[in-house]
Amino acid sequence: MAYDPKPEHKFTFGLWTVGSPGRDPFGGPVRETLSPVELVYLLAEVGAYGVNFHDNDLVPIDATPKERNKIVSDFKKALDETGLVVPMATTNLFSDPAFKDGAFTSNDPNVRAYALQKTMNAIDLGVELGAKVYVFWGGREGTETDSSKNPLDAGKWFRDALNYLCDYAIDQGYDLKFALEPKPNEPRSDLYLPTVGSMLGFISTLDHPEMVGVNPEVAHEHMAGLNFLHAVAQAWDSGKLFHIDLNDQMFGRYDQDFRFGSVMIKQAFYLVKFLEDVGYTGSRHYDAHAFRTEDYNGVKEFARGCMRTYLILKEKAERFNRDPEIQELLAAIRADDGAHHYLAAGYSRESAERLRGETFDRVALGRRGLNYERLDQLTVELLLGVR
Ligand code: GCO
Ligand code: MN
Ligand code: MN
């Protein structure tokens, strides 16, 4: 079937996504907790390509080495039996009370050291299971009161930690890239490095910037009221789109983590079109949760829906790219009479002289209608299925 997920689509889910028992700040679990092995089978059943995890989604924080090995070998067996892969892994540096004031940016040097140690172990675990991308989401790296922490110290500690861990991965000979995931707030009042743009700026200050990219998430930029497509495009343009977290989120609401494409269809369309047009080859990772109203049948519907919507939008993007009227409008919008091709060579005194000598009909430039209304309506009609 046209919209069935296939391995080449690289659809992945976190254990914590389909495995969420539906807890929220006002209520406990509504679904029983499934084991990592059961979740691998569930993901295989719905057609996912891969499964990602936090260290403690797989191995409880207080597991003994013997327990750890048993869990890991059972998990590997499930992967072998289903053919699922582990493209990404990450560390839980936010659930345990030790991290209540941050992990790498905690004021307490013992907490910072513990966070480093925990991450080294989690990196080993991820690599053992095949991960090539390692995500850093600083869920507690922030403040409620800025009396408590100097943001310059926090920035330095975060940088020191990433430099340390890059060197650790290099020293171990791991084939691993790091992907930093920004979020503006929640669970802290304010998180450091809140947007894709701030992460990109920060990466250029690291010792091994070539090893570090970003993991943008739809919901996180939407929470900040920002245009996700623009953030992703900037990451791509910088060669830093190492991973992506897909879900959906209304602007100005709590952290919703909805099924991909379930709320802002148009934004999801532009995003899928972008990823497919530029030839992004990384994971399409769903970092979302089924509604709390659902049982595990609903969870499967949720997971299937995430992938199916992506594939439908991919088909819509292909349709957009070959729609004669849309393409004609785009060609007219971008019409170029060649008169200013000399500017493409960049600045020179000759070019500046030539430019200064030109006369522009400013009024005519401003008078021209751009036909974006027609273009946008055609896009909407295409999405609504009447085109
Ligand atoms: C969130 C984040 C997390 C991270 C995950 C991977 O809002 O809670 O998106 O789901 O992506 O911890 O590091
Ligand atoms: Mn999130
Ligand atoms: Mn995420």
Side-chain angles (χ1 to χ4, degrees):
M1 282 243 307
Y3 306 126
D4 281 350
K6 301 203 180 59
E8 77 241 30
H9 300 130
K10 304 243 180 95
F11 291 136
T12 65
F13 289 81
L15 280 181
W16 70 94
T17 63
V18 284
S20 159
R23 207 176 279 115
D24 76 11
F26 301 92
V30 293
R31 296 182 280 268
E32 77 274 23
T33 301
L34 298 188
S35 71
V37 166
E38 288 171 312
L39 291 168
V40 168
Y41 282 100
L42 184 154
L43 286 174
E45 185 188 331
V46 299
Y49 158 76
V51 56
N52 306 315
F53 57 81
H54 300 89
D55 51 353
N56 304 137
D57 298 338
L58 186 59
V59 181
I61 196 163
D62 47 8
T64 63
K66 203 170 150 217
E67 286 162 348
R68 175 206 187 268
N69 293 343
K70 167 88 173 92
I71 291 167
V72 171
S73 87
D74 289 350
F75 192 66
K76 277 185 181 161
K77 193 160 153 265
L79 294 175
D80 283 348
E81 280 170 6
T82 55
L84 254 74
V85 295
V86 174
M88 177 274 255
T90 182
T91 329
N92 185 326
L93 294 173
F94 43 87
S95 295
D96 196 86
F99 301 123
K100 63 189 174 198
D101 189 31
F104 301 137
T105 66
S106 166
N107 269 321
D108 184 338
N110 292 313
V111 173
R112 299 203 295 274
Y114 172 53
L116 270 187
Q117 185 208 55
K118 190 173 194 288
T119 305
M120 291 194 307
N121 292 336
I123 288 177
D124 294 347
L125 176 67
V127 170
E128 182 181 345
L129 287 156
K132 296 274 186 290
V133 175
Y134 202 83
V135 164
F136 289 81
W137 172 62
R140 300 278 172 195
E141 314 292 11
T143 58
E144 283 73 41
T145 166
D146 284 328
S147 312
S148 66
K149 216 177 282 182
N150 180 338
L152 289 177
D153 288 338
K156 179 187 178 305
W157 293 331
F158 196 54
R159 180 181 305 114
D160 289 348
L162 284 167
N163 286 340
Y164 194 96
L165 293 165
C166 281
D167 280 328
Y168 173 71
I170 292 167
D171 194 32
Q172 298 299 308
Y174 291 158
D175 173 20
L176 197 63
K177 283 179 172 175
F178 290 178
L180 311 185
E181 180 179 340
K183 186 175 183 183
N185 54 265
E186 208 171 328
R188 299 305 293 270
S189 176
D190 291 289
L191 295 172
Y192 295 122
L193 301 167
T195 62
V196 172
S198 21
M199 275 307 177
L200 289 171
F202 174 74
I203 289 169
S204 65
T205 71
L206 297 173
D207 288 350
H208 294 284
E210 72 290 347
M211 240 181 104
V212 186
V214 289
N215 178 34
E217 175 168 318
V218 178
H220 297 179
E221 301 297 296
H222 281 194
M223 284 169 75
L226 297 174
N227 182 311
F228 188 62
L229 170 70
H230 296 185
V232 168
Q234 194 192 351
W236 176 262
D237 182 61
S238 324
K240 292 295 183 197
L241 190 65
F242 289 5
H243 201 262
I244 194 161
D245 276 7
L246 302 174
N247 54 14
D248 214 346
Q249 167 84 37
M250 295 248 195
F251 284 15
R253 298 272 172 100
Y254 66 97
D255 185 7
Q256 297 179 307
D257 279 343
F258 284 149
R259 190 179 74 255
F260 179 64
S262 62
V263 213
M264 298 206 174
I265 299 178
K266 224 170 149 191
Q267 282 82 350
F269 165 72
Y270 293 128
L271 174 67
V272 171
K273 177 166 154 35
F274 179 86
L275 295 175
E276 297 300 320
D277 283 352
V278 298
Y280 169 75
T281 56
S283 292
R284 274 82 174 157
H285 171 70
Y286 295 103
D287 188 10
H289 297 138
F291 300 147
R292 194 165 180 268
T293 48
E294 303 308 292
D295 60 12
Y296 277 102
N297 278 326
V299 172
K300 289 179 202 167
E301 284 300 317
F302 147 84
R304 289 196 181 99
C306 283
M307 298 184 282
R308 187 175 163 85
T309 298
Y310 187 101
L311 293 174
I312 294 170
L313 292 174
K314 181 173 179 235
E315 200 221 338
K316 295 284 182 192
E318 284 156 14
R319 204 176 266 260
F320 182 101
N321 288 343
R322 54 165 203 266
D323 185 299
E325 194 176 350
I326 291 177
Q327 292 309 315
E328 209 175 293
L329 280 171
L330 286 173
I333 286 161
R334 298 189 56 131
D336 182 352
D337 63 6
H340 298 101
H341 284 184
Y342 70 92
L343 290 173
Y347 176 82
S348 69
R349 287 204 179 149
E350 295 69 38
S351 136
E353 267 318 294
R354 186 169 164 189
L355 182 57
R356 219 192 297 275
E358 293 206 46
T359 15
F360 291 96
D361 186 348
R362 195 191 76 248
V363 176
L365 288 176
R367 200 185 290 129
R368 185 181 156 217
L370 299 182
N371 254 334
Y372 291 176
E373 283 290 358
R374 177 80 191 141
L375 179 63
D376 188 64
Q377 180 64 22
L378 291 176
T379 308
V380 169
E381 292 193 10
L382 190 143
L383 290 177
L384 292 179
V386 297
R387 204 174 164 77

